[in-house]
């Protein structure tokens, strides 16, 4: 699957954005309130959704103040790799 890169303009602080995409509280505030987070490179992010049959398994491959890389390991199938 090709890389998915997103760029959004915001007035939020860098730390607020980092927290929103790297912490359980942050992800639950905008994506899904059912999410487990093991922060940092090598950790896992496991969001789940009522309409999805399985939780997503996202490995944190890179996590810095300016870059976050998640790699899907199993679900959804078209995101794997």
């Amino acid at each position: 699957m090709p890389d998915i890169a997103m760029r959004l303009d915001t007035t939020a602080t860098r730390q607020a954005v980092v927290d929103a995409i790297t912490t359980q509280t942050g992800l639950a505030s905008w994506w899904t309130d059912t999410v487990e987070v093991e922060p940092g490179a090598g950790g896992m992010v496991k969001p789940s959704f009522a309409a999805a049959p399985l939780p997503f398994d996202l490995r944190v491959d890179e996590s810095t103040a300016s870059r976050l890389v998640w790699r899907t390991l199993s679900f959804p199938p078209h995101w794997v790799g």
Side-chain angles (χ1 to χ4, degrees):
M1 171 174 213
D3 291 344
I4 298 172
M6 296 179 70
R7 180 183 174 137
L8 303 168
D9 293 325
T10 181
T11 59
T13 66
R14 178 181 296 262
Q15 190 59 54
V17 173
V18 169
D19 290 347
I21 61 176
T22 63
T23 69
Q24 189 278 330
T25 301
L27 288 165
S29 75
W30 66 272
W31 195 15
T32 177
D33 59 358
T34 310
V35 61
E36 297 174 30
V37 177
E38 298 171 25
M44 295 292 294
V45 176
K46 295 184 176 194
S48 58
F49 305 88
L54 299 169
F56 291 26
D57 290 320
L58 309 171
R59 184 181 63 219
V60 181
D61 282 353
E62 189 176 342
S63 182
T64 68
S66 61
R67 183 173 163 89
L68 175 65
V69 177
W70 289 336
R71 183 164 314 274
T72 304
L73 301 180
S74 62
F75 185 83
H78 60 284
W79 284 16
V80 172

